[in-house]
């Protein structure tokens, strides 16, 4: 994002209260500084020489979850999260990023992921479909990956696995290191082109957002022509509706809630597929959360898990409390990052966490 665009967005947001009520960080911290117009005012004040970037103001800058909720509610489509990420890049470029951001960035530079000291697996083979595995599915909840592959095999799709163990680029972009995000995205695109695939399957809306929007809007990378990006769940739902994916109904009567994964609201057309698949296999009615679909809140699995674990944990509690209030006993999601964060605290809310791909694979006829 150019400086001119960043400045214009910050000027537009600094005295606007129209999305203040939906900002999840504003909700859990109850601090006016940590709301969309609060970030706008902080950045604008530094630009005017009224504040400087010091440890306190830099912390404020890094407390935004980069969740996209503000933009999803903005009638003029202001890319405030992109402007905040661009400002972080400016701050990081001056050597002022918080220590936790630098530490995670170093790990990503070396290992392409923040979790394990392991390099990504080399992609092998060619095919019509490629599947972006990423780092969350490889290291945080690999059972979801195995189950998704089983479901894809059941509908005759054997994808070339790419990016296994590599971040999709969102995390370094969010932390203010766009060059690193660029390198990771390029490495994945190289594997995608070598696979010869015409369709890139992704496991989560977070990956869909990273490849369909963040790449072009933040990193200035052009998506290769003729290659479709598609969520695995949308393909499975289509096959199920066409009678090509046979799923047995479950006899589990417990009330459940589907947790829209972090970044779901950045992919507005995706909300029906997981719900339709769940309706086919679970007899009880799903209990919808208040913060759902186009207003879904993050589950704590963004950059804040490293830079502000306290706020990140409260974002997770907030999702769990929403499900508890809806009357759920089981919470279901397909995103390995969300699942791992929800799992850490679910017991305290009397909830059981269930991976959606695992649930569906267990119902294959
Ligand atoms: S993102 Fe839109 S609604 Fe939110 S503060 Fe900026 S201009 Fe206002
Ligand atoms: S990206 Fe999320 S946390 Fe940041 S200002 Fe927007 S709504 Fe708030």
């Amino acid at each position: 994002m150019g400086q001119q665009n960043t400045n214009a967005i910050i000027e537009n947001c600094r005295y606007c209260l129209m999305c203040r009520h939906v900002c999840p960080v504003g909700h859990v911290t109850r601090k006016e500084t940590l709301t969309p117009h609060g970030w706008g005012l902080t950045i604008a004040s530094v630009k005017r020489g009224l504040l400087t970037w010091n440890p306190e103001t830099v912390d404020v800058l890094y407390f935004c979850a980069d969740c996209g909720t503000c933009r999803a509610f903005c009638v003029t489509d202001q890319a405030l999260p992109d402007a905040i990420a661009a400002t972080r890049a400016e701050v990081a470029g001056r050597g002022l990023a918080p220590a936790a951001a630098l530490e995670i960035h170093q790990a990503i530079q070396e290992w392409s992921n923040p979790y394990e000291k392991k390099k990504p697996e080399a992609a092998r083979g060619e095919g019509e479909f490629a599947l972006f595995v990423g780092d969350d599915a490889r290291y945080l909840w690999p059972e979801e990956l195995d189950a998704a592959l089983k479901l894809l095999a059941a509908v005759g799709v054997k994808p070339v696995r790419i990016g296994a163990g590599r971040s999709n680029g969102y995390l370094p972009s969010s932390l203010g290191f766009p060059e690193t995000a660029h390198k990771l995205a390029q490495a994945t695109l190289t594997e995608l082109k070598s696979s010869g695939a015409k369709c890139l399957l992704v496991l989560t809306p977070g990956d869909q957002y990273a490849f369909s929007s963040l790449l072009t809007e933040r990193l200035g990378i052009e998506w290769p022509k003729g290659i479709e990006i598609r969520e695995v769940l949308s393909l499975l739902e289509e096959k199920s509706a066409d009678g090509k994916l046979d799923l047995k109904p479950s006899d589990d009567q417990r009330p459940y809630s589907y947790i829209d994964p972090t970044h779901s609201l950045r992919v507005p057309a995706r909300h029906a597929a997981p719900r339709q698949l769940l309706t086919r296999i679970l007899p009880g009615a799903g209990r919808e959360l208040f913060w759902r679909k186009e207003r879904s809140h993050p589950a704590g699995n963004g950059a804040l898990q490293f830079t502000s674990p306290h706020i990140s944990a409260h974002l997770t509690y907030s999702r769990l409390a929403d499900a508890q209030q809806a009357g759920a006993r089981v919470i279901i999601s397909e995103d390995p990052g969300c699942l791992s964060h929800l799992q850490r605290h679910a017991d305290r809310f009397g909830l059981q966490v269930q991976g959606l791909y695992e649930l569906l694979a267990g119902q294959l006829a």
Side-chain angles (χ1 to χ4, degrees):
M1 168 171 290
Q3 191 62 51
Q4 219 177 346
N5 275 354
T6 303
N7 290 347
I9 291 166
I10 293 306
E11 288 302 309
N12 287 332
C13 293
R14 71 193 174 108
Y15 282 127
C16 172
L17 298 177
M18 297 305 285
C19 65
R20 178 185 171 281
H21 62 297
V22 296
C23 173
V25 173
H27 275 228
V28 300
T29 63
R30 298 169 195 269
K31 288 186 177 170
E32 200 61 34
T33 314
L34 305 184
T35 61
H37 82 106
W39 277 295
L41 266 176
T42 299
I43 297 169
S45 298
V46 172
K47 289 188 188 299
R48 283 167 166 74
L50 301 171
L51 282 177
T52 55
W53 290 125
N54 57 42
E56 193 185 354
T57 51
V58 168
D59 275 351
V60 165
L61 182 65
Y62 274 80
F63 284 154
C64 161
D66 189 3
C67 65
T69 315
C70 46
R71 185 174 180 181
F73 270 75
C74 182
V75 290
T76 56
D77 193 30
Q78 299 297 316
L80 178 59
D82 294 5
I84 292 173
T87 309
R88 288 176 182 171
E90 190 186 320
V91 165
R94 290 164 54 190
L96 298 173
L102 292 172
E103 194 182 318
I104 289 303
H105 179 232
Q106 204 174 8
I108 298 172
Q109 277 183 307
E110 191 163 357
W111 305 107
S112 303
N113 83 87
Y115 308 117
E116 294 280 342
K117 292 183 177 176
K118 288 181 187 164
K119 296 271 189 198
E121 271 176 31
R124 286 190 194 89
E126 293 184 10
E128 189 187 342
F129 291 91
L131 173 71
F132 177 75
V133 174
D135 48 359
D136 286 4
R138 177 143 166 73
Y139 297 123
L140 299 183
W141 205 285
E143 297 84 357
E144 277 293 87
L145 171 64
D146 296 341
L149 289 168
K150 194 172 168 191
L151 289 158
L152 288 170
V155 295
V157 174
K158 292 207 169 146
V160 180
R161 290 183 233 178
I162 66 169
R166 183 186 301 120
S167 157
N168 60 23
Y170 163 78
L171 183 58
S173 158
S174 189
L175 288 169
F177 301 100
E179 295 84 7
T180 303
H182 202 281
K183 277 186 196 153
L184 295 171
Q186 286 294 5
T188 298
L189 286 182
T190 301
E191 288 183 343
L192 178 59
K193 283 176 192 162
S194 301
S195 76
K198 290 286 166 256
C199 177
L200 175 65
L201 295 170
V202 293
L203 295 165
T204 68
D207 289 333
Q208 173 93 29
Y209 160 68
F211 294 120
S212 61
S213 303
L214 186 139
L215 234 73
T216 46
E217 292 177 2
R218 285 198 196 172
L219 306 179
I221 299 176
E222 201 177 327
W223 183 254
K225 283 194 178 63
I227 301 183
E228 181 194 10
I229 311 171
R230 186 160 191 196
E231 279 191 58
V232 171
L233 277 183
S234 124
L235 178 71
L236 295 177
E237 159 53 18
E238 183 186 287
K239 297 287 183 188
S240 172
D242 290 350
K244 292 175 183 156
L245 175 65
D246 207 359
L247 297 168
K248 298 174 291 190
S250 159
D251 53 10
D252 188 346
Q253 302 276 350
R254 290 176 299 170
Y256 71 90
S257 285
Y258 172 68
I259 309 278
D260 295 280
T262 302
H263 304 299
S264 288
L265 45 58
R266 287 169 147 157
V267 188
R270 59 102 41 202
H271 306 310
R275 289 170 169 81
Q276 281 161 356
L277 284 164
L278 280 167
T279 303
R280 286 203 187 102
I281 58 165
L282 290 178
R287 314 286 176 99
E288 288 286 6
L289 271 61
F290 182 81
W291 296 101
R292 64 182 183 273
K293 299 182 183 175
E294 65 285 342
R295 62 182 189 223
S296 55
H297 275 177
N301 55 321
L304 282 178
Q305 67 185 294
F306 304 109
T307 53
S308 179
H310 183 67
I311 295 179
S312 166
H314 276 272
L315 292 174
T316 312
Y317 302 156
S318 183
R319 299 300 276 152
L320 291 164
D322 198 346
Q324 187 187 47
Q325 279 157 22
R329 296 272 309 286
V330 184
I331 49 173
I332 303 167
S333 195
E334 72 274 34
D335 183 320
C338 291
L339 289 167
S340 78
H341 279 258
L342 294 166
Q343 179 73 60
R344 288 175 201 179
H345 307 291
D347 276 357
R348 289 173 49 191
F349 291 80
L351 294 163
Q352 190 200 321
V353 177
Q354 169 70 59
L356 177 52
Y357 292 120
E358 292 158 88
L359 178 63
L360 292 168
Q363 298 309 120
L364 278 170

